[in-house]
Structure formats: C-alpha cells, structure tokens
C-alpha cells in the first residue's frame, strides 16, 4: 500500500530556534519493550496526555504497518523516510542539524529493531518531544504523515475514539483470559496486568486437567433448579459462587485497565457465563450480549468477526438516536452547529454528543480564555483544523463523538453538530 507523505509547516513564530537541546534521558511511553502478543494501543487517557502536553516542539508521525508477510521489510524503510523529512523540517525552522538529529535519535533506534517490526498491527503512531517518546500500534490503516508543530496532530487517531470506532472484548474461559481493543477493522490484544491467569489461579487452586463442563441437576425442591459445574481435575465441582468470585476478580482488573473509558465492553465466552459475569460486572458500558462459544483457541480475527456482527447494528442505531436527539433539541439552546459555540463547549467539557463531518476542515486558531476564534479559508502557517480541535477535546472530556460523512450530518451543511450537557 503506497500513500503520499504529508508535511505540515511550522508556526510563523517558531519555537525551534530557541529550543533547548534534547534531554539526554528520554522518557519512553508505551510498550516499546513488549515483544509478546499484547499491543500498546492508545486509550482516552493517552489522548488527554497528548492534548495536555506543553512541549514547545512536538512531532507526530503516522505510517501504515503490516502484521505479516514480505511487506514487513518496507515498514522500517518507511519510518526512516519520515524521520528524514522530520529532521529537514526541524532544520528549516532554525534548529541546528546536530540538535535536530539528537531530537529524533530515540525514534531512529526503532528503525533497526527487527523484533519491534515483527509485532505490529495495521498502523503506527509516534509522538516525539525533546524528552518524551510515545509509540502506539493500532488496527487501523494510517496514511504516511509527518507533522512538526507546536501541538500534536491527532486527527488520524480520532476514528479510534469515536462511537463505533472502538470497543473492548474480554475473552473469558476457566483456563484463559484475554482483553482486546477493537475497531471496525480488527482487534489488538492488550496487556491485562492484574488479571488472574485462570479460574484455578484466581481461587488459589491447581488448574484442572480438562475443561470444566456445565450441566443442570434436577432440584430436590419443586420449582427450583441449581447450577452445578463438574470438572475432572482437583476440586471436583465448581459452583456458581466460585465462578462469581472468579469473575469479580476479573472485573477488578477490567475496572483498573479501562478506568475513564466509555467504549462498550463485550464478553466472549460460553453462553451460560453471561448472567454470572453480569452480576460481577461494574464497568458502566458493559453490553448485555455474549459473543458465544468458547474463546479458547480462537484467533483475534475470528473473535473480531463474531463481535462486529453484534456491534455494527447497535452502533448504527445509537448514531441514529443521537441524530434524532440533536434535531429534537435544535433551536432550544441545548444543541448547536455554530463553530465557536461548539468549540467553547467541547473545550469546557459541556458537550454530551458531537457529530463531526469527515473530510471537512475549518482552519484557524481558537483562544478559549477569551472565547475568540479566527478562521481562514486556507490554512496559515500557525493554523490548525478547528473541527479536529473540537472533536479531540470532546473525546477527552467524555462526550460521545460520531465521525460521519458530510451527507450524514444531522444538519447537512454543518461541520459540527453538538448536543450540550444540562
């Protein structure tokens, strides 16, 4: 897959000429050292950190990557080309060549890291300041892009955070627990620190020698049924209360891993786990549906295929309901398509839901302190996309954001359409 390289210019008043030399110690954020199945995909908290970063020089790099095949060999070459472009941008803005090279040295080490390239998804996002490096892998196809500016360029990430853009999936059996983050295009397995390895580990028992099987035993008392879980390993029977204890331990780990997230969570397990897990669950966005069948041995691709079959119509219905809500509140002061009003509300955390038109830009600058907005028909050197700004801040502040084609906007000519919190 070949994509043109995009370059965004520096602000007219460049901070680079007077920038401090890069620190000798660079803080590396993200699972760059991880070489196993789990991937480092960006969370809402990560997005907030990127928005809040106050470094004077910020570089954003995006490139497509490959999971397998001979195309993997082209991925480090592609990153090397982006780095050369970024270095040129830095020197053109006034940074001395030696300092520009030092700035990018931590990223340059990835180019020759063969193990790093053997564990990729479909896209790579890299964010660099003089003293910090963040690397994220995504199951999204990303165009090649390098941006050197006084703020990170985050628009390529937004589809990952919009409603229908991401979801979580916990694949749960008595022998194995895996947590995935997914998009319409695929899933990535996450590091799930704090989760037990199995039911036996959670209950401080030895793992059973074969998979536990379920049956219902006819009750002795008329009108009642009791669920009994039989196994052939040590321990004999695992009743519902043992599974419930196991699931509560799992739920604690889910709560810690997904703190602050709002994307839906699906359970992939045998069907009879759903009501028990529902009882243990405390994650507010857990969906009361199950991706049926044992997830043991199922590939990430197969789990995504089964999950997306359930999620796609649900996301479409949710989007339709949000659009209807906007139209219902239009003209009441609780909904607006005014760019300035949407920008200010998104920045202040007053947006409940926001529609953003895909491919539509409004160039300019926004000063939240003075509620001032400056717009230009074409981007100036120190301008940014105000639609991107509004959508990013709405996501960070917990709004439901819908990225839709212009023709699908609740109001056809609008770049943004917001419903406010009240």
């Amino acid at each position: 897959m070949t994509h043109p390289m995009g370059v965004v210019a520096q602000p007219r008043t460049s901070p680079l000429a007077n920038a401090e030399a890069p620190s000798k110690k660079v803080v590396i954020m993200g699972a760059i050292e991880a070489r196993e199945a789990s991937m480092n995909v960006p969370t809402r908290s990560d997005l907030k950190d990127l928005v809040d970063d106050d470094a004077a020089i910020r570089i954003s790099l995006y490139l497509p990557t490959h999971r397998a095949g001979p195309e993997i060999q082209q991925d480090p070459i592609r990153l090397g080309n982006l780095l050369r472009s970024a270095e040129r941008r830095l020197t053109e803005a006034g940074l001395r060549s030696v300092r520009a090279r030092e700035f990018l040295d931590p990223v340059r080490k990835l180019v020759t890291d063969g193990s790093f390239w053997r564990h990729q998804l479909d896209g790579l996002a890299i964010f660099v300041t003089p003293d910090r490096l963040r690397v994220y892998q995504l199951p999204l196809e990303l165009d090649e892009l390098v941006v050197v500016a006084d703020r990170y360029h985050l628009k390529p990430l937004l589809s990952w955070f919009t409603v229908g853009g991401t979801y979580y999936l916990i694949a749960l059996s008595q022998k194995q627990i895996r947590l995935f983050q997914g998009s319409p295009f695929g899933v990535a397995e996450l590091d799930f620190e704090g989760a037990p390895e199995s039911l036996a580990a959670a209950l401080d028992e030895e793992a059973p020698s074969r998979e536990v099987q379920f049956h219902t035993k006819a009750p002795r008392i008329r009108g009642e049924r009791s669920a009994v879980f039989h196994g052939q390993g040590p321990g004999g029977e695992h009743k519902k209360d043992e599974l419930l204890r196991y699931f509560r331990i799992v739920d604690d780990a889910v709560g810690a891993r997904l703190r602050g997230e709002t994307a839906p969570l699906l359970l992939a397990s045998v069907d009879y786990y759903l009501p028990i897990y529902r009882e243990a669950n405390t994650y507010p966005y857990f969906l009361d549906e199950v991706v049926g069948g044992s997830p043991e041995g199922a590939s990430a691709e197969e789990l995504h295929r089964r999950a997306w079959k359930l999620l796609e119509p649900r996301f479409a219905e949710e989007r339709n309901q949000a659009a209807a809500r906007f139209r219902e509140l239009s003209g009441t002061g609780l909904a607006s398509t005014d760019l300035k009003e949407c920008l200010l509300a998104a920045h202040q955390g007053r947006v409940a839901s926001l529609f953003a038109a895909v491919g539509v830009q409004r160039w300019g600058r926004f000063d939240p302190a003075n509620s001032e907005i400056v717009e230009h028909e074409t981007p100036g050197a120190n301008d940014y996309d105000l639609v991107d700004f509004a959508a990013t801040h709405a996501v960070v502040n917990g709004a439901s954001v819908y990225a839709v084609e212009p023709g699908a906007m609740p109001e056809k000519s609008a770049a943004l359409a917001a419903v406010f919190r009240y």
Side-chain angles (χ1 to χ4, degrees):
M1 178 171 64
T2 302
H3 297 285
M5 182 182 299
V7 178
V8 175
Q10 295 286 346
R12 282 191 289 268
T13 305
S14 173
L16 303 188
N18 299 318
E20 296 295 326
S23 303
K24 292 183 179 180
K25 182 177 181 181
V26 176
V27 177
I28 299 177
M29 311 292 289
I32 297 176
E33 299 302 322
R35 297 294 182 258
E36 303 302 327
S38 62
M39 294 290 176
N40 186 54
V41 296
T43 65
R44 189 179 293 254
S45 176
D46 293 324
L47 186 65
K48 186 178 188 305
D49 288 343
L50 291 168
V51 169
D52 292 342
D53 196 311
D54 59 359
I57 315 170
R58 283 172 265 186
I59 298 178
S60 309
L61 302 166
Y62 295 93
L63 64 153
T65 52
H66 300 84
R67 302 181 186 224
E71 295 88 353
I72 289 178
Q73 300 176 12
Q74 298 301 314
D75 295 342
I77 297 173
R78 186 176 286 112
L79 178 58
N81 292 336
L82 290 175
L83 290 176
R84 280 189 287 275
S85 177
E87 189 172 336
R88 184 173 64 254
R89 292 286 115 189
L90 289 169
T91 56
E92 287 174 353
L95 204 64
R96 290 187 295 114
S97 295
V98 63
R99 291 170 65 184
R101 186 165 184 84
E102 288 175 357
F103 195 116
L104 297 168
D105 275 345
V107 191
R108 196 170 283 109
K109 293 177 182 178
L110 297 179
V111 175
T112 57
D113 187 342
S115 181
F116 175 76
W117 296 105
R118 287 193 296 272
H119 296 87
Q120 292 301 316
L121 296 174
D122 306 306
L124 193 63
I126 302 175
F127 303 98
V128 195
T129 67
D131 59 359
R132 183 165 295 180
L133 169 64
R134 299 174 175 93
V135 180
Y136 300 106
Q137 297 128 320
L138 297 101
L140 295 174
E141 292 188 9
L142 298 171
D143 289 348
E144 290 183 22
L145 181 66
V146 54
V147 180
V148 180
D150 60 350
R151 66 192 295 269
Y152 287 124
H153 181 72
L154 301 175
K155 194 166 189 175
L157 290 184
L158 284 183
S159 63
W160 184 245
F161 294 100
T162 57
V163 175
T166 186
Y167 67 93
Y168 294 100
L169 177 73
I170 182 167
L172 181 60
S173 73
Q174 293 187 28
K175 294 181 180 179
Q176 184 185 48
I177 306 169
R178 292 180 288 168
L179 181 65
F180 297 89
Q181 188 171 4
S183 75
F185 310 101
V187 295
E189 186 171 352
L190 303 178
D191 175 45
F192 200 14
E193 186 177 351
E197 294 182 359
S198 64
L199 180 146
L203 302 182
D204 198 24
E205 298 175 356
E206 293 184 4
S209 59
R210 67 172 63 176
E211 185 176 355
V212 175
Q213 296 180 335
F214 166 88
H215 80 271
T216 51
K217 182 175 65 177
R220 294 182 180 180
I221 302 175
R222 192 180 190 90
E224 296 181 356
R225 292 180 65 80
S226 58
V228 180
F229 300 84
H230 286 286
Q232 300 303 316
E237 294 184 347
H238 297 294
K239 296 183 179 180
K240 175 188 171 182
D241 61 342
E242 292 176 318
L243 281 174
L244 185 58
R245 176 186 166 195
Y246 173 41
F247 293 165
R248 282 176 173 155
I249 295 171
V250 173
D251 176 69
D252 287 341
V254 169
R257 186 64 175 82
L258 303 188
R259 185 174 293 114
E261 297 298 315
T262 59
L265 171 68
L266 265 178
L267 176 68
S269 72
V270 291
D271 292 349
Y272 59 82
Y273 279 9
L274 179 59
I276 307 172
Y277 191 87
R278 182 194 304 129
E279 186 175 345
N281 172 71
T282 58
Y283 182 68
Y285 305 98
F286 179 68
L287 299 182
D288 197 15
E289 292 186 78
V290 65
V291 179
S294 174
E296 287 185 23
S299 67
E301 291 76 13
E302 173 61 19
L303 289 172
H304 167 68
R305 186 189 65 78
R306 291 192 228 162
W308 194 246
K309 187 176 181 180
L310 293 175
L311 288 170
E312 189 172 21
R314 178 184 286 268
F315 284 144
E317 176 60 24
E318 186 174 346
R319 185 172 61 248
N320 291 338
Q321 289 179 359
R325 181 63 172 163
F326 172 85
R327 288 188 285 267
E328 176 187 341
L329 294 175
S330 184
T332 67
L334 295 175
S336 178
T337 60
D338 180 77
L339 183 61
K340 179 178 176 179
E341 197 171 2
C342 291
L343 281 166
L344 189 60
H347 186 267
Q348 295 175 341
R350 294 189 292 106
V351 171
S353 63
L354 180 75
F355 283 82
V358 173
V360 174
Q361 289 85 32
R362 294 290 186 269
W363 298 105
R365 304 284 289 190
F366 175 59
D367 181 359
N370 299 315
S371 300
E372 293 179 353
I373 180 173
V374 176
E375 287 189 78
H376 299 123
E377 290 187 7
T378 58
N382 61 344
D383 286 348
Y384 49 80
D385 180 9
L386 297 171
V387 176
D388 172 34
F389 182 96
T392 300
H393 281 79
V395 168
V396 165
N397 289 318
S400 297
V401 177
Y402 303 86
V404 300
E405 294 299 323
M409 289 290 290
E411 190 170 304
K412 300 300 183 184
S413 61
L416 294 169
V419 171
F420 305 129
R421 292 190 171 109
Y422 61 91

